[in-house]
Amino acid sequence: MSALRGLAARYERCFPEALRLPMRTVGREAEYPIVTPLGHAGNVQAVMARLRDDSRVKASQVVMENELIASITTESSVHYTIEVGTGTVEVISGPFMDLESLREVHEDSVELLVDAAKEEGLCVLGCGIQPLTRPSAALMTPRERYNRLMELLPGWAWFSATASDQVHVDITREEFPLITSVCNAATPALVALCGNSGVHSGLVADTCCTREAATHQVMGHRHGMPEAPVSSVDEWMEQIATLDFLMRKDHPKDTNPRVAYLNDDVSLGLAPFSDHLGASSSASQGQVTGSRDEQDWEDFLFHEHYVYHSARPRSKQATVELRPCCQQPWADHMVVAALSLGLVQSGPRLLPFLVPSYEAGASGAWHGALAGRWAHLQGLHHRAVTTGLEDDEVAELCKGILTACAQALEERGLGEEAFLEPLFQRVEERENPAQQLQRAMRDVGMKGVVDLTEIRP
């Protein structure tokens, strides 16, 4: 078995043959910009210190990185963590078997975050990017791996300002290829419905989802929709392995990764991960096979951590992570979790909306149908990033996908489809949060943007 196929087989085994619990579970990694009342990026470390010292938070673990408070874990297993940007906090909650439980825990956690920010004279925003402070190295949390990425990927500083709402939904081994592919194919709808980064650097942007536009320019096919759908885990592994291997750890707990030059030769430059496997295999003839396999595995996990496709499988959690949505206005903060769960729960029922000519047929027909439609969907993605819900075809795609998701959630019997109502309203009005925020910026300026996005539980 080739090294790459061996990695694919091991990755596939991380996913269970059947769902682990009676209901499909959902977890959330929600990032929030912290700003001053005038809109400048705030001091997150001061907010983290307030959280640590607040008896209501019930911190069970505080992790330090040098002098930084890196994360706070509560007794209820909620995590507050610092992000790439020094003005962003992430709140991690779940997994839960139902959206209502997720809502309750997340709202309690964010209320404590808002209180901590207020004590520092700061605001927590429900939007997808710092509205005033420009992305820069100065806004970036001081970590060696971020410095490496700045060297390798000019423009990576954009990540210092962005704030997304990432959702994990558990999947089975058999579901892996289809769910990953259809959720990536649905990226245009996710972005059109949930784009909320249309104001940044104190200006109205020329896109509704600057997060997607800017980071795709930096990352290329490492970000957003991948080059193609995949029909198997082997095919997914090959797709990921064609991307350049950026950094390597000398051991799993290494916090100072080095640039992964081929054969550690600077003159050879970066190379696809698959080339490193071949080079590693030839250079370690006398190495014990088990230790070489383990190093390949650790290298791959670190490699794919920096592949930011819209829907990416996660071996540690046995989930698919949906990444393209901006943080949302607080009144509608559950829409991303509901939409993500609905997409995964719908699975193959999304295909007729993604590929209008699709008719269920022989096993595997879905892959060919998606592959033939992929370039068109990538075009819709670009239109969604740029104009949100203004485009007729994008809006029609959103309506169909929302219908499928609502039906899938209704079948769970928990009333979770109600969380999708704000999205149906957005399609009806042909306006997403970014379009609303751009109008506020034109009419009222930055004060209007902060007022509109500030979270007031």
Side-chain angles (χ1 to χ4, degrees):
M1 180 185 293
S2 71
L4 204 57
R5 289 194 65 190
L7 287 174
R10 181 168 179 178
Y11 202 92
E12 186 174 29
R13 288 195 298 271
C14 294
F15 294 80
E17 293 183 349
L19 293 177
R20 294 161 291 190
L21 295 171
M23 299 283 278
R24 202 183 291 275
T25 60
V26 58
R28 188 172 172 192
E29 300 175 359
E31 300 167 357
Y32 294 97
I34 309 290
V35 302
T36 69
L38 296 178
H40 298 280
N43 178 5
V44 160
Q45 282 299 303
V47 176
M48 293 289 280
R50 292 278 188 181
L51 286 168
R52 177 197 59 197
D53 298 337
D54 188 337
S55 60
R56 298 173 301 162
V57 172
K58 298 180 181 178
S60 61
Q61 183 182 36
V62 177
V63 175
M64 304 294 295
E65 286 183 16
N66 299 320
E67 297 181 358
L68 298 178
I69 303 173
S71 69
I72 299 168
T73 303
T74 73
E75 291 179 0
S76 56
S77 297
V78 170
H79 305 273
Y80 298 95
T81 70
I82 59 176
E83 262 301 315
V84 179
T86 57
T88 310
V89 170
E90 183 174 53
V91 182
I92 303 173
S93 40
F96 297 96
M97 279 201 298
D98 64 279
L99 291 174
E100 182 60 28
S101 296
L102 174 61
R103 182 195 65 78
E104 290 177 1
V105 170
H106 191 76
E107 287 184 357
D108 288 346
S109 304
V110 171
E111 183 175 354
L112 294 173
L113 174 64
V114 169
D115 287 349
K118 280 183 178 177
E119 289 175 356
E120 292 294 323
L122 298 171
C123 311
V124 182
L125 303 187
C127 62
I129 198 166
Q130 285 284 344
L132 182 56
T133 303
R134 293 176 180 273
S136 67
L139 191 59
M140 193 171 295
T141 299
R143 285 170 167 162
E144 276 303 313
R145 62 184 181 275
Y146 296 163
N147 293 334
R148 298 282 184 274
L149 288 164
M150 283 282 287
E151 295 170 16
L152 295 167
L153 301 169
W156 201 80
W158 274 104
F159 285 90
S160 68
T162 58
S164 59
D165 197 349
Q166 299 156 9
V167 177
H168 286 257
V169 184
D170 64 341
I171 58 173
T172 67
R173 194 175 302 171
E174 183 181 9
E175 291 175 325
F176 183 124
L178 186 144
I179 294 298
T180 301
S181 295
V182 296
C183 288
N184 272 314
T187 301
L190 287 161
V191 171
L193 289 164
C194 302
N196 194 17
S197 48
V199 173
H200 71 87
S201 306
L203 301 169
V204 173
D206 55 6
T207 59
C208 283
C209 192
T210 304
R211 275 184 58 256
E212 283 284 291
T215 49
H216 181 71
Q217 286 179 356
V218 176
M219 305 290 285
H221 285 300
R222 303 181 82 94
H223 186 276
M225 289 182 70
E227 288 189 275
V230 295
S231 61
S232 66
V233 179
D234 281 340
E235 193 173 325
W236 174 83
M237 178 64 67
E238 291 170 5
Q239 185 180 76
I240 303 302
T242 62
L243 300 169
D244 281 350
F245 188 23
L246 300 178
M247 297 182 294
R248 164 175 273 142
K249 290 182 176 183
D250 288 322
H251 54 82
K253 294 186 179 179
D254 187 1
T255 58
N256 188 19
R258 54 196 169 88
V259 177
Y261 297 117
L262 188 61
N263 288 333
D264 290 325
D265 186 340
V266 176
S267 67
L268 294 177
L270 297 175
F273 182 81
S274 54
D275 289 2
H276 284 268
L277 278 181
S280 167
S281 299
S282 350
S284 53
Q285 294 283 327
Q287 190 175 342
V288 178
T289 301
S291 61
R292 188 175 68 243
D293 290 347
E294 200 58 35
Q295 184 60 54
D296 286 345
W297 176 248
E298 293 296 335
D299 282 348
F300 178 74
L301 292 181
F302 198 52
H303 167 64
E304 59 113 24
H305 181 73
Y306 293 101
V307 177
Y308 300 131
H309 289 156
S310 298
R312 61 174 187 171
R314 310 309 293 144
S315 59
K316 182 178 178 181
Q317 296 92 344
T319 61
V320 63
E321 177 191 14
L322 291 101
R323 300 181 49 85
C325 295
C326 292
Q327 190 51 256
Q328 298 296 288
W330 185 245
D332 302 343
H333 78 90
M334 283 297 294
V335 297
V336 176
L339 180 58
S340 301
L341 178 58
L343 285 170
V344 177
Q345 195 75 11
S346 299
R349 286 183 284 182
L350 297 172
L351 288 164
F353 302 106
L354 296 166
V355 186
S357 61
Y358 176 77
E359 293 183 11
S363 175
W366 64 266
H367 178 260
L370 268 185
R373 183 74 169 170
W374 205 256
H376 185 75
L377 290 167
Q378 288 175 318
L380 291 183
H381 179 214
H382 175 74
R383 283 144 66 179
V385 165
T386 306
T387 60
L389 286 165
E390 284 184 10
D391 185 90
D392 290 343
E393 189 176 357
V394 169
E396 194 62 28
L397 173 65
C398 290
K399 189 182 300 184
I401 284 180
L402 281 175
T403 300
C405 289
Q407 180 182 346
L409 292 179
E410 186 177 359
E411 289 169 359
R412 283 166 54 93
L414 301 173
E416 295 167 319
E417 64 276 8
F419 288 117
L420 294 176
E421 282 304 318
L423 299 182
F424 280 104
Q425 185 175 349
R426 290 177 191 178
V427 174
E428 184 69 25
E429 297 174 357
R430 301 289 287 275
E431 190 174 62
N432 68 14
Q435 293 165 269
Q436 294 175 3
L437 209 55
Q438 289 175 330
R439 188 170 63 250
M441 182 67 181
R442 292 187 186 100
D443 293 347
V444 190
M446 186 54 59
K447 183 181 185 301
V449 169
V450 174
D451 286 348
L452 189 61
T453 58
E454 183 180 359
I455 295 176
R456 303 176 180 89

